[in-house]
Amino acid sequence: MSHILKDSGARAQLIDGKAGAALVDAAVKVAAAELTPALGRTPALAVVLVGDDPASQVYVRNKIRRTEAAGMTSIEHRLPADTSRDTLLRLIEQLNNDDAVDGILVQLPLPDHLNAAEIVEAIDPFKDVDGLTAHNAGALVQGATGLRACTPSGCVWLAKQALGDLTGKSVVVIGRSILVGKPAALLFLAENCTVTLAHSRTRNLAEICAKADILVPAVGRPHMVKASWIKPGATVIDVGINRIDAEGGKSRLTGDVDFDQALKVADQITPVPGGVGPMTIAILLANTCTAAARRAGQPLPAALAELDLP
Ligand code: NDP
């Protein structure tokens, strides 16, 4: 457990997402090698990037680098920003039908003229390694086999690494997006937590948060969550990624939590950057191996099963 907990010099220990991601990446590498003979090739992830959004370019570059470092095949499709709906849907259909592709990821956000929900829905649910199709969202609700959304899975896994069994913990998730908040709430529920899902219309948010054993802000508002909102001894999993002005005209990333103050109140907290962020790609790679194993009718390799991912 303690291998991902680091001393912060204050009350709270840091939950080191980079260390967690390195553990998952290493297990994925072993799993990918184990699956290769049965597949007759290495597990393969296809990434589709439409347009030239700078943040998306960075994410996609990291995904490709980590996929290859894990001994898997990375297939890259970069399309111009004015790509039509039909062209993109045709590419997804082609990837759906390609037996040598195990996972398909369409990098979001898409340019405004494309309907992200429609495009994501076109992905074969058995290759939907982002876990965002209705099929996989429904499987999560039902507790059925499926591919789970990456960032929320990373949050739950980090909480389990920090705390062990989560049964009976009271969890407050702030944010109800399809990408993060809703699946995070359902994944904590699946761990037998008692979950409150808060959002912009929630009343008395500070008081509700102050009752949480595990607080999971996923809003996108820098330093919104104050130390006074955190129960002493709580675990804070900060999903927010916000770019703010820093000294010398530069900018830096920060989370949704007033981190420096929260360090004095919480028992464990994820930093931003270096917390939930690195876990997202790690789970994506794990999902690609899981998809490859299921599609080939193979058992999940032991290295991956032992991680006990959500
Ligand atoms: P969305 O903008 O889709 O959702 C934000 C949610 O926050 C909404 O449900 C909204 O409520 C809620 N919200 C907004 N303002 C408040 C408020 N004042 N009080 C309470 N709730 C509020 O964002 P995402 O879910 O996509 O992302 C959330 C954050 O997580 C962002 O900072 C994003 O960058 C980060 N992120 C990080 C990832 C990672 O890998 N670490 C991956 C994905 C996202 P309502 O529904 O009522 O509008």
Side-chain angles (χ1 to χ4, degrees):
M1 296 275 159
S2 59
H3 38 260
I4 68 157
L5 292 176
K6 301 261 156 72
D7 190 16
S8 72
R11 170 176 179 158
Q13 287 184 297
L14 298 178
I15 304 174
D16 183 350
K18 274 194 206 158
L23 283 174
V24 176
D25 282 7
V28 166
K29 191 168 185 171
V30 173
E34 200 176 312
L35 284 169
T36 297
L39 299 175
R41 55 173 177 79
T42 55
L45 171 64
V47 177
V48 180
L49 175 61
V50 185
D52 41 24
D53 176 64
S56 294
Q57 305 260 13
V58 174
Y59 291 139
V60 164
R61 214 177 308 133
N62 285 337
K63 282 168 188 171
I64 292 168
R65 184 176 51 77
R66 297 253 303 267
T67 304
E68 288 172 350
M72 301 199 291
T73 301
S74 175
I75 300 160
E76 201 184 331
H77 288 273
R78 288 176 187 266
L79 305 178
D82 62 357
T83 298
S84 72
R85 164 188 176 273
D86 288 353
T87 302
L88 184 53
L89 287 174
R90 262 200 310 275
L91 172 61
I92 292 173
E93 194 184 346
Q94 179 198 319
L95 295 171
N96 284 343
N97 293 331
D98 186 343
D99 231 15
V101 170
D102 299 298
I104 303 170
L105 176 137
V106 176
Q107 182 65 45
L108 302 177
L110 287 169
D112 286 345
H113 68 282
L114 295 167
N115 177 344
E118 180 193 28
I119 300 297
V120 166
E121 211 41 50
I123 298 171
D124 176 348
F126 296 96
K127 298 188 178 187
D128 166 33
V129 283
D130 248 351
L132 296 178
T133 56
H135 176 99
N136 282 316
L140 173 59
V141 172
Q142 293 186 337
T145 300
L147 292 163
R148 305 300 190 224
C150 298
T151 302
S153 288
C155 294
V156 171
W157 191 78
L158 286 178
K160 278 164 64 177
Q161 293 296 302
L163 296 170
D165 184 9
L166 302 182
T167 297
K169 301 278 185 202
S170 98
V171 176
V172 174
V173 177
I174 320 176
R176 56 176 163 179
S177 71
I178 289 170
L179 188 63
V180 187
K182 278 182 196 162
L186 287 161
L187 284 169
F188 277 107
L189 186 62
E191 299 292 334
N192 301 314
C193 297
T194 304
V195 181
T196 303
L197 186 49
H199 45 78
S200 68
R201 309 294 181 88
T202 296
R203 294 192 191 141
N204 306 323
L205 181 59
E207 289 95 287
I208 289 169
C209 291
K211 294 197 172 81
D213 299 320
I214 303 172
L215 183 57
V216 188
V219 177
R221 287 184 168 226
H223 303 168
M224 179 182 106
V225 174
K226 308 298 176 201
S228 60
W229 299 23
I230 299 169
K231 181 163 92 171
T235 299
V236 179
I237 309 286
D238 189 352
V239 186
I241 299 180
N242 309 289
R243 189 163 283 286
I244 58 166
D245 293 336
E247 280 169 30
K250 293 188 174 160
S251 68
R252 68 179 176 93
L253 294 182
T254 191
D256 286 347
V257 177
D258 185 354
F259 183 75
D260 292 342
Q261 297 304 314
L263 278 176
K264 301 173 191 167
V265 184
D267 267 2
Q268 292 101 6
I269 185 166
T270 55
V272 178
V276 173
M279 286 302 301
T280 299
I281 297 182
I283 303 284
L284 173 73
L285 303 184
N287 279 351
T288 303
C289 268
T290 302
R294 287 184 186 150
R295 294 181 58 251
Q298 295 292 314
L300 198 59
L304 211 49
E306 281 162 13
L307 286 176
D308 194 22
L309 295 170

